[in-house]
Amino acid sequence: MAESYEMSDDEKQEIIEEFLAESDQYLQSLNDCLLKAEELIKGGQTVEKDDINLMFRAAHTIKGTASFIDLTTISHLTHEMETVLDRIRNDQMDFTVEAIDVLFAAFDSLSALLERLKTEGDDQGDVSESLEKIRQILSGEAPAAAEEPVAAEKPAEPAVEEPQEVVPEESEASSESDEELEKYWAAFIEDTQQNIERFDEILLNMEKGDFKPDYLNELFRISHTIKGSSGIVKRRDLEMLSHKMEDILSGMREKEEPPAEHITTLLFKGIDWIKETVNEIQSGKRQERDPGELVQEFEKLLAAEAASPAGASEVSAPADQGQAPAIDINALNSEQAIKLEEARGLKQAVYNLTIAVSEKCPAKSMKAMLAKERLSKEGIIIAMVPEETAIDDSSTAKVSIQFLYSTSESQEGIPAFVSIDEIELVSLDKIDMAEEKPAEPAVAEPKAAAAAPAAAAKPQAAQKPVKKEAAKEKQSKSAPVEVTSMRVDVRKLDNLMNLAGELVITRARFSQLLLELRNEVSSTRQTIDKFREIENSLMGLKMKTAETVSSAEANGGQDRDELKKMIETIGQKFQDTSRQTSTKLITEKIYNMDEATRNLEKLSSDIQNGVMQTRMVPIEGVFSRFKRLVRDIAKEIKKDVKLDIYGEDTELDKKITDELGDPLTHMIRNAVDHGLENTEERKATDKPQQGTVTLGAMHKGNNICIEISDDGKGLDPDKIANKAFEKEIITEDALEQMSDREKMGLIFAPGFSTAEQVTGLSGRGVGMDVVKKMIESLNGTVDIESEMGQGTSFKLKIPLTLAIIQALLVVIDNEVFALPLESVSEIVKVMPDEVYRIEGTATIKLRDHTLSLVELEKVIQIEQKKIGADDERRVVVITDGENQVGICVDELIGEDEIVIKSLPVHFTNVIGISGASILGDGRICLILDVGAIIKEAQ
Amino acid sequence: MSRKLLLVDDAPIIRLKLKNILQAQNYEVVGEANNGVEAIEKYKELKPDLVTMDIVMPEKDGIEALGDILKIDSNAKVVMVTAIDQRDSLMKAIQLGAVDYIIKPFEDERVIEAINKAAG
């Protein structure tokens, strides 16, 4: 029998996570499409069918998956969204601004539910408001908050896009669908009223004691028909009630006796309620009514009736949905084996046929049965797994069914047999019987041979494919929209990043060691040369000795022999040693190692880049939320605003995108709320009525530049200066020396806010100072450009990643320091006599302006050689975007990529140092905090 | 060439809905029947390529009508249109030889798919 396959908690969690990730993408496209549609509708244009379909599919897919994992609130809500979108795409409903609002409301509820699912693990949120709005719009009522002003405002503005062509077409289409809908309503009312009359009549007859068994049948049929018709006009209230009535009557008509009085009474109540409702509909009131109490009464009655069971016996079956255990042709039961033999006897081909009943199908077992019937008409079903009786109809999962099927029809003809709605042909493979045969040992005794393995092999055979099928199921689920990404815990990536950093450092260490080794070899070479010399002189000694000895031969051979031996031994040893210390081998090895190290270098930097890439996400994720934000703010403060976005594909570190959301939100709020004038003010100037806020991003070297600009009134430096003075942020003296640019910079001062009236949006206590701090914490900078009357532009410059920076390595006081390359503007040579002092500060002249030199010992605890020593010095000019200072360095090492290691907690307050890194030689190098140094210098 | 359809249902609204859906798909609705008896008469008369058949109807229900039609033409393509709670009848219809079924209330898509597939 079929294996039951239950989801473990882990699996469920995994599916939920996958679902969340998937839903995120769908939400994104929903949001985008809704915004796009809103713009088009407001502009009097038609929304593209593709977009509507996309939205529909998004809602549909979320619904499907949600119901698969029992997220009933989500599936219910998305189902309703889907209904609205479905009507829109089938032109049964106009795509109006109201519809957009309803969908947005539903979208918000859905986001909230998904958020809840993320944090709480369930979807028990309240979505009644959204559902009510959907219900209203579906029933044709105007939702409570209609958006007259915006809708009315637009057409007044003569549209540039040939309105004659577009608008009439749409209105025609909509009136047509209204007409069509009206036709349904008319048919429904007429039809139902007749049925009600007949129902009443019969009930009255029965009450009078005039009973015919056929009456119950008729009553049953009538309620059934009312139910069906109500379904067409989507009147759930009527559908629900008539369904209950039908249920009651269904049980009664088999008894063929007049119903008890309390039942008749209730049926009267029911038909009266339906009558009232239909009359209401006729008079134009299309709002659904709540039949709740009545339905409950029917349910009570049903429960009471159920005590005497007459209903059809339900097939109880194990819940084995979504996966069909594979049929093993070598593990058939006796009955199946006989059928297989029969097929073979007919010389018919045997196929492995898998079909799937779609998840939405309400009566899967019935479809399975239909498929079985249709297949068996054309051939022999040898085996079917699962049997239709084992299919659980209440399941919302896709059900795969596998057949071992034999037919005289050609393989091409088979798909037609299962050409059934909601049934999909998954696979059809011809089984090579010749190949299968040897696997079946006793052909003479097929029953026994086949039956025995059936028992043993089946559970095993069933187990594996279950998983496989489940995986397939998942795949097919995500197939419609390509989801080619997966979720990875950020900590894992962080760890990987860290390891990649270590690898880079280790690689550098290797290069260093290699260098040392080379030096070692060359000194070894010298040693060897020395050996050679000794060897040579030894040879000389040997020869000399031989001469001497031969002349003294007469003195006897023993001493001579010993001496000869000794000298030879020493010579041999020398030779051996010098051969052993031959550098040839080592040189070769070093060469190989050099090559390997170079490979390692390439690989490690590839790995580092790769890991970096995994952390890189398009900024789109952050940007897209602002479309909605701008829309909402604009609506709240009644400004007409459009948001232009560019460069949303620009990628940057996920960690940074996460941090960017808040400051950007604030800046965009400011732009819409303060930056842009209100409509009247804009009218007064020559500006287009619609204000534009631009949000853009682009790569610049290792930085991402983000621009937030508006075409509003611009910043007034004097107004800002006055405000700052009033708030005692700055003294009058200081003000006088400030440039306009510096004055504008005052908006970043703590406690500054230019809002004259605190609206609900800006002025929430979060000022630009906080924004600036947030950006600076990302090693970024903020720059303002503004022109009175023309608009304001904020430019953010943020490093792409927090993990690796390009740095200039310098030596100061025998310590290596790193300066982030983007803050280095140039390096100049300075002769001692070029340094002079202004107000005690060492200064040099850099082209036509002065540059103060920072005395680093005042910032960090190092001893810097005093300027003015005899030799020429190098000065690195650093900048924080506004100010420049110079730092004297003792030595320049060069540019390098360094991996930033954050400092331990107890060092984080050290001013002037922002982090540390490890160099190739294992030395620690501190990274100078340019911003802090410049600030300290002033 | 558009294919000929016969719609059988005792609720005019359902026939109307089916007609609207299917005419848009280039099917030709050649006839409509209110009950099983009419259905058989119309079937003989019009020789439609496909029939949609309600089950619960006065006079003669859809199951009987299906049986009769198949007796007349064993290759008749009949798609049942019924509510989900008519399981037993539906099962009977399938065994008798209905080519597919559509569950009421239906989505347009279901009707189109079922009829398209049945029409082959």
Side-chain angles (χ1 to χ4, degrees):
Chain A
M1 276 287 108
E3 298 291 307
S4 80
Y5 180 69
E6 271 182 33
M7 236 185 274
S8 71
D9 281 355
D10 273 359
E11 265 171 307
K12 201 160 180 184
Q13 188 54 38
E14 201 177 298
I15 291 177
I16 286 179
E17 268 170 28
E18 207 164 283
F19 169 67
L20 281 169
E22 201 183 285
S23 304
D24 266 352
Q25 302 189 357
Y26 288 119
L27 278 184
Q28 196 69 63
S29 42
L30 255 178
N31 191 31
D32 289 350
C33 290
L34 277 175
L35 285 161
K36 196 168 151 197
E38 185 179 40
E39 208 168 294
L40 288 169
I41 291 167
K42 280 186 181 171
Q45 299 184 50
T46 354
V47 182
E48 276 171 45
K49 263 257 144 47
D50 280 356
D51 281 345
I52 300 174
N53 279 331
L54 189 66
M55 287 190 273
F56 172 80
R57 272 208 313 277
H60 177 81
T61 312
I62 295 176
K63 181 186 85 171
T65 321
S67 56
F68 177 60
I69 47 179
D70 291 336
L71 300 168
T72 48
T73 318
I74 291 177
S75 67
H76 186 189
L77 179 65
T78 41
H79 175 77
E80 296 299 320
M81 291 171 80
E82 185 189 331
T83 310
V84 174
L85 289 162
D86 191 38
R87 285 213 198 165
I88 291 171
R89 72 177 184 157
N90 291 324
D91 294 330
Q92 289 162 353
M93 195 171 122
D94 289 349
F95 207 176
T96 58
V97 184
E98 287 78 25
I100 292 273
D101 274 349
V102 168
L103 287 170
F104 260 131
F107 172 83
D108 286 344
S109 303
L110 179 59
S111 312
L113 286 178
L114 288 169
E115 194 54 44
R116 193 186 155 94
L117 181 62
K118 211 176 280 176
T119 52
E120 314 267 323
D122 64 45
D123 69 337
Q124 306 302 311
D126 180 19
V127 295
S128 55
E129 209 172 300
S130 297
L131 289 176
E132 174 62 18
K133 279 187 183 161
I134 291 178
R135 197 193 58 68
Q136 281 174 354
I137 200 149
L138 283 177
S139 62
E141 297 162 36
E147 252 187 304
E148 291 308 343
V150 193
E153 226 168 277
K154 264 281 150 172
E157 201 181 313
V160 200
E161 306 96 343
E162 302 132 295
Q164 292 96 328
E165 262 187 53
V166 187
V167 178
E169 208 178 272
E170 198 195 41
S171 63
E172 216 175 84
S174 65
S175 69
E176 195 183 49
S177 72
D178 276 347
E179 219 175 272
E180 195 190 10
L181 214 66
E182 242 1 90
K183 263 195 311 202
Y184 287 142
W185 279 115
F188 169 78
I189 292 164
E190 200 191 340
D191 195 1
T192 312
Q193 275 175 343
Q194 273 177 18
N195 280 323
I196 294 168
E197 255 175 57
R198 180 66 189 146
F199 200 100
D200 257 338
E201 201 185 334
I202 296 170
L203 278 183
L204 285 169
N205 283 348
M206 287 200 299
E207 221 184 18
K208 274 187 268 170
D210 175 10
F211 177 76
K212 291 180 200 157
D214 209 23
Y215 273 169
L216 289 171
N217 252 327
E218 209 176 337
L219 287 181
F220 166 78
R221 219 181 49 232
I222 292 172
S223 31
H224 181 81
T225 306
I226 294 177
K227 183 186 75 178
S229 311
S230 307
I232 296 286
V233 291
K234 303 241 156 109
R235 282 299 297 240
R236 266 163 242 269
D237 47 353
L238 288 170
E239 200 181 343
M240 209 196 304
L241 185 61
S242 46
H243 189 162
K244 292 294 166 211
M245 290 167 68
E246 185 192 337
D247 282 350
I248 289 284
L249 288 159
S250 167
M252 281 184 348
R253 69 191 167 137
E254 280 156 30
K255 290 185 193 161
E256 299 202 336
E257 57 184 60
E261 202 187 297
H262 69 281
I263 298 180
T264 319
T265 315
L266 193 56
L267 285 172
F268 262 123
K269 265 194 186 169
I271 200 71
D272 282 349
W273 195 92
I274 292 176
K275 202 192 291 175
E276 274 165 39
T277 311
V278 173
N279 286 344
E280 260 192 32
I281 293 171
Q282 197 178 19
S283 68
K285 272 170 84 178
R286 299 276 157 85
Q287 198 167 349
E288 281 207 16
R289 299 172 72 206
D290 181 13
E293 266 181 43
L294 214 46
V295 167
Q296 270 171 19
E297 276 189 67
F298 273 104
E299 268 163 2
K300 256 190 238 158
L301 186 60
L302 270 171
E305 293 288 301
S308 51
S313 58
E314 271 296 313
V315 198
S316 63
D320 180 21
Q321 308 294 317
Q323 58 273 316
I327 301 169
D328 186 351
I329 197 166
N330 298 318
L332 300 175
N333 65 32
S334 55
E335 202 181 321
Q336 292 165 338
I338 292 170
K339 283 187 186 160
L340 180 62
E341 277 314 298
E342 187 187 336
R344 277 183 180 163
L346 289 166
K347 300 222 174 348
Q348 285 182 174
V350 177
Y351 299 93
N352 215 330
L353 168 69
T354 306
I355 60 168
V357 185
S358 80
E359 54 261 81
K360 266 184 83 178
C361 179
K364 298 188 176 65
S365 59
M366 202 70 85
K367 283 286 178 191
M369 181 180 162
L370 183 61
K372 182 186 171 188
E373 282 297 329
R374 285 185 56 174
L375 282 170
S376 54
K377 251 189 205 165
E378 313 284 345
I380 303 163
I381 296 175
I382 298 157
M384 173 182 181
V385 178
E387 292 270 352
E388 80 271 26
T389 47
I391 293 170
D392 178 7
D393 275 347
S394 61
S395 155
T396 49
K398 202 177 199 171
V399 177
S400 296
I401 303 164
Q402 205 194 353
F403 292 95
L404 212 54
Y405 183 55
S406 167
T407 177
S408 54
E409 179 72 57
S410 68
Q411 185 163 356
E412 289 77 22
I414 295 175
F417 303 162
V418 286
S419 167
I420 297 168
D421 179 34
E422 299 199 275
I423 286 187
E424 148 198 16
L425 178 65
V426 178
S427 65
L428 173 65
D429 302 307
K430 194 170 179 175
I431 296 174
D432 192 345
M433 295 308 286
E435 199 184 284
E436 295 296 332
K437 232 170 186 165
E440 211 176 271
V443 192
E445 233 183 356
K447 279 190 201 180
K458 229 188 169 182
Q460 290 169 326
Q463 210 117 65
K464 270 193 205 157
V466 166
K467 283 245 169 87
K468 225 197 238 162
E469 282 292 324
K472 216 190 249 171
E473 172 83 17
K474 267 189 200 168
Q475 265 175 18
S476 70
K477 266 198 180 316
S478 52
V481 174
E482 276 177 58
V483 181
T484 48
S485 55
M486 65 176 282
R487 288 158 55 84
V488 177
D489 191 329
V490 179
R491 277 169 300 182
K492 286 187 189 165
L493 284 183
D494 282 346
N495 187 32
L496 211 54
M497 188 73 223
N498 215 358
L499 289 174
E502 298 285 345
L503 186 63
V504 171
I505 291 164
T506 314
R507 190 269 306 158
R509 184 97 189 94
F510 259 99
S511 306
Q512 187 75 28
L513 284 174
L514 199 64
L515 196 75
E516 283 165 21
L517 206 60
R518 250 194 211 122
N519 294 337
E520 202 60 38
V521 169
S522 62
S523 71
T524 311
R525 214 172 262 147
Q526 286 167 8
T527 316
I528 291 169
D529 288 348
K530 289 223 171 77
F531 263 124
R532 292 248 161 81
E533 280 168 34
I534 297 171
E535 198 183 336
N536 284 342
S537 45
L538 200 69
M539 282 307 239
L541 179 69
K542 191 174 152 191
M543 254 134 76
K544 264 256 155 65
T545 317
E547 280 168 29
T548 321
V549 168
S550 58
S551 65
E553 195 120 3
N555 295 349
Q558 208 182 351
D559 284 357
R560 180 204 59 185
D561 282 346
E562 257 172 44
L563 191 61
K564 216 174 181 178
K565 220 177 189 175
M566 254 164 72
I567 291 172
E568 250 160 33
T569 314
I570 294 171
Q572 192 59 46
K573 275 189 180 155
F574 258 115
Q575 237 170 29
D576 287 353
T577 318
S578 74
R579 206 169 283 144
Q580 273 164 16
T581 43
S582 151
T583 55
K584 201 182 160 202
L585 202 69
I586 292 184
T587 315
E588 204 181 293
K589 289 273 182 262
I590 286 180
Y591 179 78
N592 289 344
M593 205 168 144
D594 195 24
E595 213 175 60
T597 311
R598 225 171 300 214
N599 271 340
L600 181 67
E601 184 178 332
K602 196 185 168 306
L603 274 178
S604 60
S605 77
D606 282 356
I607 284 181
Q608 199 173 29
N609 274 335
V611 177
M612 280 266 289
Q613 284 306 317
T614 63
R615 303 177 53 98
M616 291 298 201
V617 292
I619 200 165
E620 195 180 4
V622 186
F623 276 11
S624 58
R625 78 170 86 153
F626 297 122
K627 296 179 196 164
R628 182 68 193 279
L629 181 79
V630 168
R631 172 194 181 268
D632 289 350
I633 301 173
K635 218 169 177 188
E636 188 176 328
I637 59 174
K638 299 198 173 56
K639 280 183 187 173
D640 191 0
V641 185
K642 81 165 191 283
L643 178 68
D644 278 349
I645 290 182
Y646 68 86
E648 59 263 61
D649 298 338
T650 316
E651 289 192 330
L652 75 166
D653 196 311
K654 175 79 168 59
K655 207 168 179 178
I656 298 179
T657 59
D658 292 347
E659 305 281 323
L660 266 180
D662 286 345
L664 283 182
T665 305
H666 196 76
M667 291 172 96
I668 287 190
R669 274 193 172 132
N670 271 338
V672 178
D673 200 12
H674 303 315
L676 294 174
E677 311 90 331
N678 58 39
T679 317
E680 289 77 46
E681 284 169 344
R682 286 186 79 91
K683 269 184 197 160
T685 61
D686 276 346
K687 287 183 181 176
Q689 193 171 317
Q690 190 177 45
T692 306
V693 173
T694 309
L695 179 62
M698 64 173 116
H699 278 146
K700 255 189 190 168
N702 274 331
N703 292 303
I704 182 169
C705 289
I706 299 172
E707 182 197 5
I708 305 106
S709 59
D710 60 67
D711 64 346
K713 50 187 177 262
L715 292 174
D716 183 341
D718 292 325
K719 209 168 152 191
I720 292 167
N722 285 338
K723 197 113 200 166
F725 177 63
E726 275 168 33
K727 298 214 166 183
E728 294 176 358
I729 291 167
I730 197 154
T731 61
E732 204 165 1
D733 286 353
L735 265 183
E736 266 170 26
Q737 290 181 8
M738 278 181 133
S739 66
D740 277 358
R741 208 184 164 78
E742 284 167 322
K743 281 177 186 167
M744 285 194 276
L746 285 172
I747 61 166
F748 294 117
F752 188 93
S753 165
T754 50
E756 274 161 13
Q757 53 184 31
V758 174
T759 66
L761 303 162
S762 313
R764 290 192 176 178
V766 188
M768 288 301 283
D769 57 322
V770 179
V771 171
K772 189 171 188 184
K773 264 199 200 114
M774 290 196 253
I775 301 297
E776 277 171 354
S777 72
L778 299 170
N779 294 334
T781 56
V782 192
D783 201 20
I784 319 173
E785 273 169 32
S786 181
E787 203 170 323
M788 291 276 286
Q790 297 300 308
T792 312
S793 171
F794 287 91
K795 290 196 168 128
L796 311 184
K797 204 169 116 187
I798 296 157
L800 287 182
T801 173
L802 299 173
I804 294 175
I805 57 166
Q806 287 281 336
L808 177 70
L809 299 178
V810 298
V811 178
I812 305 168
D813 190 23
N814 295 323
E815 292 282 344
V816 181
F817 290 95
L819 284 159
L821 206 58
E822 74 249 15
S823 45
V824 175
S825 53
E826 62 184 304
I827 301 166
V828 288
K829 276 186 201 166
V830 181
M831 293 308 288
D833 56 355
E834 287 178 281
V835 179
Y836 52 97
R837 295 198 164 256
I838 297 177
E839 290 172 4
T841 311
T843 311
I844 57 165
K845 202 161 163 106
L846 185 65
R847 289 181 286 276
D848 53 354
H849 60 268
T850 56
L851 181 80
S852 32
L853 299 182
V854 184
E855 291 166 45
L856 264 190
E857 71 261 31
K858 284 188 182 166
V859 186
I860 45 178
Q861 296 297 313
I862 53 166
E863 262 181 48
Q864 206 174 0
K865 281 180 208 157
K866 280 275 168 281
I867 316 291
D870 295 340
D871 37 23
E872 176 189 276
R873 302 292 303 271
R874 281 174 199 274
V875 171
V876 178
V877 184
I878 54 172
T879 173
D880 65 353
E882 282 172 56
N883 305 296
Q884 285 191 327
V885 294
I887 296 180
C888 285
V889 300
D890 300 338
E891 195 188 324
L892 287 167
I893 298 178
E895 282 179 37
D896 206 352
E897 252 185 15
I898 57 167
V899 181
I900 301 180
K901 304 267 166 191
S902 51
L903 293 168
V905 190
H906 45 279
F907 289 132
T908 47
N909 285 330
V910 177
I911 294 170
I913 303 293
S914 63
S917 187
I918 303 170
L919 298 174
D921 58 5
R923 274 194 293 168
I924 304 285
C925 128
L926 294 174
I927 302 163
L928 293 175
D929 184 348
V930 169
I933 290 172
I934 292 174
K935 210 182 259 172
E936 284 297 310
Q938 285 171 343
Chain B
M1 206 194 86
S2 66
R3 268 173 276 219
K4 295 186 286 177
L5 290 184
L6 171 65
L7 308 179
V8 185
D9 200 304
D10 61 337
I13 184 172
I14 303 230
R15 297 202 305 266
L16 180 62
K17 177 85 184 174
L18 286 171
K19 195 166 162 181
N20 283 340
I21 296 170
L22 292 167
Q23 275 176 345
Q25 300 294 316
N26 215 16
Y27 285 97
E28 188 192 354
V29 176
V30 290
E32 291 183 37
N34 240 321
N35 55 53
V37 178
E38 267 184 52
I40 295 156
E41 280 168 13
K42 291 261 168 81
Y43 189 84
K44 284 190 211 158
E45 184 196 329
L46 302 166
K47 296 262 174 280
D49 299 301
L50 233 135
V51 183
T52 72
M53 180 74 76
D54 187 11
I55 290 184
V56 184
M57 284 186 299
E59 309 283 323
K60 180 175 257 182
D61 72 18
I63 304 295
E64 286 177 72
L66 168 72
D68 289 353
I69 288 175
L70 286 171
K71 262 178 231 158
I72 298 163
D73 176 4
S74 62
N75 287 321
K77 286 177 177 168
V78 181
V79 173
M80 307 308 286
V81 180
T82 182
I84 183 70
D85 41 8
Q86 291 298 306
R87 286 189 74 102
D88 295 350
S89 306
L90 191 51
M91 237 134 93
K92 231 179 273 170
I94 290 170
Q95 280 156 356
L96 275 172
V99 288
D100 202 343
Y101 63 87
I102 299 163
I103 296 290
K104 287 195 279 198
F106 44 71
E107 313 270 28
D108 295 8
E109 197 189 330
R110 294 273 68 77
V111 176
I112 297 165
E113 282 286 314
I115 299 295
N116 279 345
K117 282 190 166 175

